[in-house]
């Protein structure tokens, strides 16, 4: 998600929130009573519910450290907080395209490969990602695709193109992500273009196509479209595969497809901030999170694919066989990483605003 993909919120968030300390607490916690003053403290800034309290506890016990968790809800919020002066964090979890932006702004520390032995087990397509080919700054953590979730009891035949999201017979029963790059990405792919185009003419054409679609759209949602699918309020939803997989649990007729024109492949990544006062501990924490068994537990809980290929040995076969979670290998070649479009982002911002006010 970008998470927007990261807008995952399970009931487990309530438990996890007990671990969350506000920024004002970070400055005084190491001096609290009870002998914690000498204990190393790692500050982890992540998406909501991206790590369970149980895993946090296991790391703390194994390393004699304390982990303090704060959360954000979007890449933009993450960047804005860091640019605004939020300090004291050690490890955070930007999405692929945000890694490039943060690295360019000098926010990230270089990683020590010797401290990250689990790097050797990354999935093949994550070993040299376009946004950080040598893992100088980032380690892929969770990944997946963006496609279409649909109710197979209503939507027939099986959709194979983004164009189905423009079919009038599904008026009022379609949801689109509330994410401008993903929404424009879908329509650009349907037009045979790259989702990373910087051509103003193509962006304008995509906007006009989205304006024509808008009367058919029930909502632009990034954080509850799984519930809309499960309840039957929508029968077609552009979305990240993980939430669609969760909808399948409540409504067995839900299916997931990546259109023939292709879609987005994404990865949320673990990075160490350059300002981190605990870089060695931060590396240990990253290596822990991408350990095969640890990653398998996270994948099963969140229904996002783990970056460690060896985690597959510990994951339920039903999840491995679900293309919404683990897309087949042959699909990867049709997917596209979201890239930093530089100054063209202003064009996308303006086009998105114009779409929303229609």
């Amino acid at each position: 998600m970008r998470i927007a993909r990261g807008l995952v919120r399970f009931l487990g968030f309530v438990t996890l929130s007990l671990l969350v300390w506000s920024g004002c607490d970070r400055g005084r916690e190491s001096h609290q009573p009870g002998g914690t003053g000498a204990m190393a403290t790692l500050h982890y800034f992540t998406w909501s519910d991206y790590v369970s309290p149980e895993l946090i506890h296991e790391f703390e016990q194994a390393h004699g450290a304390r982990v303090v968790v704060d959360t954000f809800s979007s890449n933009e919020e993450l960047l804005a907080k860091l640019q605004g002066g939020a300090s004291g964090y050690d490890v955070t979890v930007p999405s692929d395209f945000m890694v490039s932006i943060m690295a360019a702004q000098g926010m990230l520390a270089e990683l020590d490969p010797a401290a990250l032995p689990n790097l050797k087990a990354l999935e093949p397509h994550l070993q040299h990602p376009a946004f950080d080919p040598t893992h100088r700054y980032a380690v892929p953590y969770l990944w997946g695709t963006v496609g279409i979730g649909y109710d197979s009891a209503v939507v027939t035949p099986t959709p194979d193109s983004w164009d189905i999201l423009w079919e009038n017979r599904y008026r009022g029963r379609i949801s689109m992500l509330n994410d401008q790059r993903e929404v424009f990405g879908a329509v650009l792919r349907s037009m045979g273009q790259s989702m990373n185009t910087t051509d103003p003419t193509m962006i304008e054409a995509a906007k006009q196509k989205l304006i024509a679609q808008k009367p058919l759209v029930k909502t632009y949602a990034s954080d509850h479209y799984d519930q809309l699918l499960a309840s039957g309020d929508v029968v077609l939803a552009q979305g990240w595969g993980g939430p669609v997989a969760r909808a399948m649990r409540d409504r067995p007729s839900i299916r997931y497809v990546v259109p023939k024109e292709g879609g987005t492949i994404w990865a949320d990544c673990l990075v160490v901030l350059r300002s981190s006062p605990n870089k060695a501990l931060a590396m240990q924490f990253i290596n822990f999170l991408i350990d095969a068994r640890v990653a398998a537990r996270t994948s099963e809980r969140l229904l996002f694919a783990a970056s460690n290929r060896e985690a597959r040995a510990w994951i339920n076969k039903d999840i491995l066989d679900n293309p919404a979670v683990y897309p087949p290998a042959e699909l990867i070649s049709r997917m596209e990483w979201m890239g930093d479009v530089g100054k063209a982002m202003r064009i996308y911002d303006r086009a998105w605003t114009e779409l929303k006010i229609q």
Side-chain angles (χ1 to χ4, degrees), residues 131-149:
F131 56 88
D132 188 15
T134 62
H135 304 294
R136 182 179 181 184
Y137 298 110
V139 177
Y141 177 35
L142 296 166
W143 67 280
T145 60
V146 177
I148 298 173

Side-chain angles (χ1 to χ4, degrees), residues 4-292:
R5 291 174 297 284
L7 297 177
V8 291
R9 292 184 177 88
F10 300 115
L11 293 178
F13 174 70
V14 177
T15 303
L16 181 60
S17 64
L18 296 176
L19 295 170
V20 177
W21 291 57
S22 67
C24 61
D25 288 329
R26 292 197 301 273
R28 66 172 184 264
E29 66 172 359
S30 61
H31 303 291
Q32 291 194 4
T36 61
M39 182 181 291
T41 301
L42 181 90
H43 294 277
Y44 184 37
F45 197 25
T46 185
W47 301 90
S48 300
D49 201 41
Y50 244 35
V51 64
S52 70
E54 291 78 14
L55 290 180
I56 291 289
H57 180 70
E58 289 176 22
F59 179 82
E60 290 175 329
Q61 293 297 303
H63 293 270
R66 179 181 180 83
V67 178
V68 178
V69 180
D70 285 349
T71 63
F72 56 85
S73 60
S74 71
N75 281 287
E76 291 72 23
E77 179 186 349
L78 163 64
L79 184 63
K81 285 192 173 182
L82 294 177
Q83 288 176 329
S87 62
Y89 295 118
D90 298 291
V91 178
T92 190
V93 196
S95 298
D96 40 74
F97 74 99
M98 188 55 67
V99 168
S100 302
I101 294 171
M102 293 174 69
Q105 295 189 17
M107 294 182 174
L108 305 182
E110 292 192 17
L111 300 177
D112 177 8
L116 301 167
N118 287 322
L119 266 177
K120 67 182 185 299
L122 289 180
E123 293 275 7
H125 65 279
L126 298 176
Q127 291 178 6
H128 303 286
F131 56 88
D132 188 15
T134 62
H135 304 294
R136 182 179 181 184
Y137 298 110
V139 177
Y141 177 35
L142 296 166
W143 67 280
T145 60
V146 177
I148 298 173
Y150 66 99
D151 189 341
S152 62
V154 179
V155 180
T156 57
T158 300
D160 67 350
S161 170
W162 288 110
D163 288 342
I164 195 168
L165 299 177
W166 277 259
E167 291 195 13
N168 191 63
R169 58 180 168 150
Y170 300 117
R171 175 183 290 264
R173 306 188 75 184
I174 297 170
S175 72
M176 300 290 288
L177 288 171
N178 191 26
D179 183 305
Q180 66 189 75
R181 290 295 307 281
E182 291 293 1
V183 169
F184 272 86
V187 67
L188 285 165
R189 292 303 295 255
S190 76
M191 297 163 57
Q193 301 295 314
S194 167
M195 69 177 300
N196 296 312
T197 185
T198 58
D199 182 346
T201 302
M202 296 312 307
I203 298 171
E204 174 64 21
K207 183 194 75 175
Q208 294 300 328
K209 190 170 180 179
L210 287 168
I211 289 173
Q213 181 210 27
K214 191 173 181 181
L216 310 182
V217 177
K218 181 179 181 67
T219 186
Y220 295 87
S222 293
D223 59 351
H224 65 278
Y225 58 89
D226 53 334
Q227 300 167 32
L228 296 174
L229 277 170
S231 67
D233 286 343
V234 302
V235 297
L236 287 163
Q238 179 203 22
W240 297 287
V244 176
R246 292 195 287 277
M248 293 175 183
R249 291 175 168 175
D250 296 323
R251 198 177 189 93
S253 58
I254 298 298
R255 301 286 186 273
Y256 178 78
V257 65
V258 173
K260 61 188 178 184
E261 300 94 343
T264 309
I265 184 172
W266 61 267
D268 287 337
C269 300
L270 295 160
V271 302
V272 178
L273 293 173
R274 191 176 67 172
S275 58
S276 166
N278 301 296
K279 291 183 174 64
L281 183 61
M283 304 285 180
Q284 292 174 337
F285 185 62
I286 289 175
N287 196 60
F288 169 79
L289 290 178
I290 62 169
D291 172 81

